[in-house]
């Protein structure tokens, strides 16, 4: 039978269904305004909905009464005695949407308070069928399903509060409150128009309405946000490395002062399931040393030459593992090739990503995507006319047939892409790019991941935190999104819904990525530029000239045109009112 919900937030497994608990737990009070603030704002997903994907009106407890009848029995104002097969033939139902009372159950609809289509648009499309079934038959929250007048429910259809509210105006606060409770319980998003409408209703005294915080029906909200951060870039890399067990395998070390060596080292480390740690060029920090000792690697690989990681640091590192080597070339591109060649067996790699070595944002997302398919990230001269012979030789040696180019032609030239396509063995070249670094990151991830329970985020304005994070994301087969420091582009929440994401991992401190990123706060477009103020009108000269004061008709007409728009024919130069001054001078 249906019971009212007054429960504390309960930990649940990601996307696990929830049914009505046997007994209520202690109540947890909040204001409805505070719960509204916790809802994520995201664009509606308008494709893929099918009502059949929400199995509803089931007999969950096996007592012979399906969900519709359970609600009819519970909400009747007079006792209902079900007949055979739990048939309900009489009762009394008050529809608070319109103030009507009904005694014939045929006149009553059971309203999914948040309609199934609306739920799909705001997150349910990423759920499993079992979770959608639980949502469609939610007897654990007494406002999730309501017995209301049938034609009023039909007029509501699948509309949210921005386009439909109950006919009785004094119910609007209650309606918006219950809407937020259902969306909060199921971690559903709100679009901008919906949030605006809810914010308008839930203002003043209504916003202060005390409510019982509903138990979560599906994992999400703040429980899904994790931050991996330290006091600086080196401590952040150590914190990220702590996500690895001490398996005695390998640890990669790269300079924390620059990005090129670490970009290819990230996919190399992921291929061998080892972490990437950062070091000062000339000093091994004690915190980094202790983390290496905890990991107890069999091998340490130093990425880059002695200017990136000094010989003195290399010597200190050599004392922390049985084996150590330096993967370094004459420049960042040769170092990238050496790191790749030493981490991947010849003839075993079918797909690789290629990114410019002169900047980092595209390569960060590309390294995580490459790791998800067990491939490398190879740096290239992005503005060159073609890829060099050494890189083509590496491609052939590894057996690469699919090349993914990260960034547009301004970053990696058309000539480089064409020469990749002409490399023996390569059968496809795909460019993944957007209008800026953030859109390129999204394009890379959309093309590379069908599902992603976990997604990593890094700032697009710095490289340090994301270097070690890219190795972890690559190891986990997870996307890494490059985003602004204090918001996410509008398409990111949509991406995450499509990927079925249940955990968001922020790389770096709040100085690098604010909590707004974890909450998926969408970036507000900058306001349009303010047009320049019109020039001030000239001072009124008065009737101070006549046609004889001008040396030519053109001079007279120019004087007339200057003052006429503001003061009319103030000097009476246009006797016939035809707009031409001083006809006698023509």
């Amino acid at each position: 039978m249906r019971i009212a919900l007054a429960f504390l937030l309960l930990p649940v497994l990601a996307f696990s269904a929830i049914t009505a608990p046997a007994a209520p737990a202690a109540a947890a009070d909040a204001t409805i305004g505070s719960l509204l603030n916790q809802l994520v704002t995201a664009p509606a997903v308008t494709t893929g909905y099918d009502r059949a994907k929400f199995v509803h009106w089931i007999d969950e407890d096996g007592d012979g009464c399906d969900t519709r009848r359970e609600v009819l029995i519970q909400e009747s104002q007079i006792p209902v005695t079900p007949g055979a097969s739990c048939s309900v033939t009489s009762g009394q139902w008050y529809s608070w949407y319109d103030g009507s009372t009904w005694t014939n159950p045929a006149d009553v609809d059971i309203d999914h308070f948040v309609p199934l289509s609306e739920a799909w648009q705001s997150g349910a499309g990423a759920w499993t069928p079992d979770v959608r079934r639980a949502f469609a038959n939610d007897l654990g929250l007494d406002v999730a399903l309501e017995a209301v007048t049938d034609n009023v429910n039909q007029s509501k259809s699948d509309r949210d509060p921005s386009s439909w509210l109950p006919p009785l105006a004094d119910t609007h606060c209650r309606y918006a409150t219950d809407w937020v409770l259902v969306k909060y319980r199921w971690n559903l998003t709100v679009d901008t128009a919906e949030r605006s409408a809810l914010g308008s209703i839930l203002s003043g005294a209504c916003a202060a309405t005390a409510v019982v915080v509903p138990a979560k029906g599906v994992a999400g909200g703040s429980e899904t946000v994790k931050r991996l951060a330290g006091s600086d870039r080196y401590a952040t890399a150590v914190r990220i490395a702590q996500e690895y067990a001490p398996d005695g395998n390998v640890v990669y070390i790269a300079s924390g002062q620059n990005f090129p060596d670490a970009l290819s080292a990230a996919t190399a480390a992921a291929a061998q399931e080892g972490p990437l740690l950062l070091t000062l060029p000339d000093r091994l920090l004690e915190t980094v040393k202790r983390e290496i000792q905890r990991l107890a690697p069999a091998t340490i690989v130093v990425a880059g030459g002695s200017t990136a990681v000094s010989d003195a640091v290399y010597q200190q590192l050599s004392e922390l593992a049985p084996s150590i080597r330096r993967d370094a070339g004459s420049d960042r591109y040769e170092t990238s090739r050496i790191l790749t060649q030493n981490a991947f067996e010849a003839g075993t790699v079918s797909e690789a990503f290629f990114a410019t070595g002169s900047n980092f944002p595209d390569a960060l997302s590309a390294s995580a995507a490459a790791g998800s398919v067990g491939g490398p990230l190879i740096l290239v001269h992005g503005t060159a006319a073609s890829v060099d012979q050494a890189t083509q030789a590496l491609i052939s040696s590894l057996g690469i047939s699919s090349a993914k180019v990260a960034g547009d032609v301004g970053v990696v030239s058309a000539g480089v892409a064409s020469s990749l396509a002409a490399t023996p063995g390569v059968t496809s070249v795909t460019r993944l790019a957007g209008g800026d670094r953030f859109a390129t990151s999204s394009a890379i991830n959309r093309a590379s991941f069908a599902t992603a329970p976990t997604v990593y985020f890094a700032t697009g304005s710095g490289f340090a935190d994301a270097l070690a994070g890219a190795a972890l994301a690559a190891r986990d087969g997870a996307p890494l999104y490059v985003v602004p420091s204090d918001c996410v582009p509008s398409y990111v929440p949509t991406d995450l819904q499509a990927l079925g994401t249940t955990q968001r991992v922020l790389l770096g401190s709040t100085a690098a990525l604010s909590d707004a990123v974890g909450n998926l706060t969408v970036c507000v477009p900058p306001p349009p530029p303010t047009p320049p103020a019109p020039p001030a009108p000239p001072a009124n000269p008065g009737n101070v000239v006549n046609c004889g004061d001008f040396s030519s008709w053109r001079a007279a007409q120019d004087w007339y045109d200057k003052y006429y728009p503001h003061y009319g024919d103030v000097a009476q130069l246009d006797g016939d009112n035809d707009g031409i001054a001083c006809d006698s001078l023509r």
Side-chain angles (χ1 to χ4, degrees):
M1 297 295 289
R2 189 176 191 230
I3 62 175
L5 184 74
F7 310 120
L8 286 169
L9 291 173
L10 302 175
V12 292
L13 294 176
F15 293 131
S16 60
I18 186 169
T19 57
D29 290 334
T31 65
I32 194 61
S34 68
L35 293 191
L36 172 61
N37 290 338
Q38 294 183 48
L39 298 183
V40 172
T41 303
V45 176
T46 57
T47 59
Y49 170 70
D50 184 341
R51 188 175 177 84
K53 293 179 179 179
F54 292 81
V55 178
H56 51 287
W57 305 162
I58 62 172
D59 180 10
E60 181 70 21
D61 57 9
D63 67 352
C65 298
D66 66 18
T67 304
R68 172 181 163 79
R69 293 186 176 101
E70 294 272 19
V71 178
L72 287 173
I73 294 168
Q74 180 66 27
E75 294 199 354
S76 175
Q77 295 180 314
I78 61 176
V80 171
T81 302
S85 302
C86 197
S87 61
V88 177
T89 58
S90 63
Q92 181 174 294
W93 296 275
Y94 176 71
S95 171
W96 61 269
Y97 289 5
D98 59 334
S100 299
T101 299
W102 305 95
T103 57
N104 184 349
D107 293 324
V108 176
D109 278 357
I110 304 304
D111 178 30
H112 286 100
F113 201 89
V114 171
L116 302 181
S117 174
E118 166 65 24
W120 178 275
Q121 294 176 41
S122 52
W127 294 348
T128 65
D130 284 346
V131 178
R132 287 195 287 270
R133 170 185 166 121
F135 173 84
N137 300 276
D138 186 5
L139 297 175
L141 179 62
D142 60 352
V143 302
L145 299 167
E146 293 284 355
V148 298
T149 303
D150 54 2
N151 62 339
V152 174
N153 185 47
Q154 290 156 21
S155 74
K156 171 183 175 179
S157 185
D158 61 355
R159 293 186 284 176
D160 69 35
S162 69
S163 56
W164 190 90
L165 290 168
L168 291 181
D170 61 3
T171 67
H172 291 180
C173 178
R174 175 181 176 181
Y175 188 83
T177 296
D178 291 355
W179 184 275
V180 171
L181 288 173
V182 176
K183 286 225 157 177
Y184 176 89
R185 172 167 163 79
W186 292 95
N187 294 311
L188 295 171
T189 62
V190 291
D191 61 36
T192 53
E194 181 185 355
R195 179 176 286 281
S196 176
L198 291 169
S200 177
I201 300 167
L202 297 176
S203 59
C206 185
T209 301
V211 295
V212 175
V213 177
K216 290 291 189 179
V218 61
S222 60
E223 304 87 53
T224 68
V225 179
K226 179 178 181 179
R227 186 182 291 276
L228 300 178
S231 58
D232 58 24
R233 63 187 61 187
Y234 306 101
T236 293
V238 167
R239 175 63 190 89
I240 292 168
Q242 290 169 355
E243 297 294 301
Y244 294 77
D247 58 8
N249 188 16
V250 64
V251 169
Y252 276 71
I253 303 289
S255 170
Q257 300 297 300
N258 209 348
F259 59 85
D261 298 337
L263 290 173
S264 292
T267 51
Q272 298 175 57
E273 300 185 349
L276 171 65
L277 286 165
L278 303 179
T279 182
L280 288 163
D282 57 356
R283 182 162 59 95
L284 183 65
L285 295 171
E286 186 63 27
T287 52
V288 178
K289 178 181 177 180
R290 286 198 301 267
E291 179 58 18
I292 296 172
Q293 290 171 330
R294 183 193 71 84
L295 291 165
T299 301
I300 294 175
V301 179
V302 176
S306 58
T307 56
V309 179
S310 69
D311 291 337
V313 171
Y314 186 90
Q315 177 59 38
Q316 289 179 272
L317 292 169
S318 69
E319 299 169 1
L320 302 176
S323 173
I324 187 170
R325 74 168 189 265
R326 188 189 289 275
D327 284 357
S330 60
D331 58 21
R332 62 189 61 187
Y333 304 104
E334 186 179 11
T335 294
S336 174
R337 293 193 298 270
I338 291 171
L339 283 162
T340 300
Q341 191 164 24
N342 288 341
F344 297 88
E345 293 185 20
T348 65
V349 179
S350 60
E351 185 173 321
F353 277 73
F354 296 84
T356 179
S358 61
N359 210 342
F360 59 86
D362 299 340
L364 291 174
S365 293
S367 61
S372 73
V373 295
L377 170 73
I378 301 173
L379 300 183
V380 295
H381 288 275
T383 57
S386 64
V387 71
D388 55 44
Q389 291 183 348
T391 300
Q392 289 183 318
L394 176 63
I395 292 170
S396 298
S397 170
L398 294 176
I400 295 168
S401 58
S402 174
K404 302 293 178 65
V405 176
D408 62 22
V409 293
V411 177
V412 179
S413 71
V416 168
S418 297
S419 62
L420 287 172
T423 301
V426 175
T427 58
S428 71
V429 175
T430 305
R431 185 183 293 276
L432 303 174
D436 57 24
R437 61 185 59 188
F438 310 121
T440 293
S441 176
S442 178
I444 290 169
N445 292 326
R446 287 177 183 175
S448 304
F449 299 90
T451 60
T454 299
V455 166
Y456 289 78
F457 289 89
T459 178
S461 58
F463 60 84
D465 296 334
L467 294 176
L472 181 60
R475 183 204 69 174
D476 292 346
L480 189 154
Y481 274 82
V482 171
V483 295
S485 295
D486 56 0
C487 60
V488 298
S490 60
Y491 42 78
V492 170
T494 304
D495 286 2
L496 268 55
Q497 283 189 357
L499 291 169
T501 301
T502 59
Q503 185 176 62
R504 302 184 288 279
V505 181
L506 308 184
L507 300 172
S509 69
T510 54
L513 285 181
S514 75
D515 289 336
V517 173
N519 294 332
L520 299 182
T521 300
V522 174
C523 303
V524 177
T530 303
N540 189 338
N543 189 2
V544 296
V545 295
N546 56 48
C547 290
D549 294 323
F550 297 99
S551 60
S552 67
W553 169 81
R554 181 71 264 170
Q557 186 66 38
D558 289 346
W559 194 97
Y560 174 87
D561 290 342
K562 177 178 179 180
Y563 295 106
Y564 182 85
H566 307 288
Y567 307 111
D569 188 12
V570 65
Q572 301 178 14
L573 302 180
D574 181 14
D576 55 4
N577 296 319
D578 63 353
I580 299 174
C582 298
D583 285 319
S584 61
L585 297 178
R586 297 181 70 186

